[in-house]
């Protein structure tokens, strides 16, 4: 799995923050101690690792514009959720982490998408494919269904999801 989206055109057809209920997204993130901040359209997004319309992350603050893809907001938020406390304290723009953690982040963003009325797992996986996330099995859905045993175990071992594949709304300890 890889999440290099640097060469993907920003016009991809994906759900963006403007298509969602801002308050619903903000409430979901607040359950993890994150604050969603709306920045002005056509301005740089603070803390954005990829630039353009990609979400930014500085400490416990997630930054987005109305044209920011929802998958990007959830992905950056899941980095915060999955990193340990020492990295959270130093967090500014680059979430870093291991390949195992990155894969767990991708899995968790699919789980969390089910908490949003405008998204859901099926749409999240479509958007991830459309945006250019790449998976060993060729699609996000194939990866999610057939190749995520390690990701589930990682998230379970850190108390981030339940045995029934639901979010615990707890940060990695």
């Amino acid at each position: 799995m890889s999440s290099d989206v640097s060469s993907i055109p920003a016009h991809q057809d994906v759900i963006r923050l403007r298509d969602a209920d801002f308050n619903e997204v903000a409430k979901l993130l607040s359950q993890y101690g994150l604050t969603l901040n709306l920045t002005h359209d056509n301005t740089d997004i603070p803390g954005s690792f990829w630039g353009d319309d990609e979400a930014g992350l500085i400490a416990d603050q997630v930054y987005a514009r109305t044209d920011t893809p929802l998958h990007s907001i959830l992905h950056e938020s899941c980095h915060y959720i999955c990193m340990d406390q020492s990295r959270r304290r130093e967090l500014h723009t680059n979430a870093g982490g291991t390949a195992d953690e990155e894969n767990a982040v991708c899995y968790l963003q699919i789980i969390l998408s089910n908490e949003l009325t405008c998204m859901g797992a099926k749409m999240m996986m479509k958007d991830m494919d459309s945006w250019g996330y790449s998976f060993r099995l060729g699609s996000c859905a194939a990866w999610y269904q057939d190749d995520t045993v390690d990701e589930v175990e990682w998230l379970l071992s850190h108390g981030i999801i339940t045995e029934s594949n639901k979010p615990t709304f707890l940060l990695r300890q």
Side-chain angles (χ1 to χ4, degrees):
M1 205 293 310
S2 168
S3 60
D4 181 0
V5 296
S6 59
S7 63
I8 304 302
H11 64 273
Q12 293 291 345
D13 183 23
V14 297
I15 295 177
R16 297 176 184 274
L17 184 56
R18 68 175 162 247
D19 304 318
D21 177 341
F22 180 90
N23 292 327
E24 182 183 38
V25 177
K27 182 179 176 184
L28 173 62
L29 301 186
S30 74
Q31 292 180 80
Y32 290 101
L34 289 162
T35 301
L36 180 59
N37 299 281
L38 188 60
T39 63
H40 295 287
D41 289 343
N42 301 312
T43 62
D44 290 341
I45 298 174
S48 178
F49 182 78
W50 296 108
D52 195 27
D53 56 3
E54 294 287 334
L57 187 58
I58 302 172
D60 60 358
Q61 304 294 305
V62 178
Y63 296 90
R65 300 186 312 224
T66 61
D67 65 338
T68 298
L70 203 48
H71 70 81
S72 178
I73 293 168
L74 289 183
H75 188 86
E76 295 306 315
S77 299
C78 289
H79 269 296
Y80 180 85
I81 295 163
C82 289
M83 67 178 55
D84 62 33
Q85 182 59 31
S86 65
R87 283 190 22 242
R88 267 189 233 112
R89 279 193 296 270
E90 305 295 320
L91 180 58
H92 194 299
T93 308
N94 186 355
T98 65
D100 289 342
E101 183 180 305
E102 179 69 27
N103 292 340
V105 163
C106 289
Y107 188 90
L108 183 60
Q109 78 185 76
I110 295 166
I111 298 297
L112 289 185
S113 72
N114 287 318
E115 302 295 316
L116 299 173
T117 55
C118 70
M119 184 57 99
K122 187 174 181 178
M123 183 59 71
M124 174 60 78
M125 289 184 268
K126 177 194 156 298
D127 282 6
M128 290 169 76
D129 285 338
S130 176
W131 200 254
Y133 292 71
S134 61
F135 299 90
R136 255 191 318 250
L137 299 180
S139 74
C140 186
W143 168 77
Y144 184 79
Q145 182 176 357
D146 298 327
D147 194 30
T148 55
V149 172
D150 293 337
E151 290 76 7
V152 170
E153 181 55 39
W154 193 97
L155 291 164
L156 284 168
S157 72
H158 292 291
I160 297 171
I161 63 170
T162 67
E163 291 284 340
S164 59
N165 217 29
K166 302 288 185 199
T168 61
F169 300 106
L170 299 173
L171 300 174
R172 174 183 173 183
Q173 299 300 313

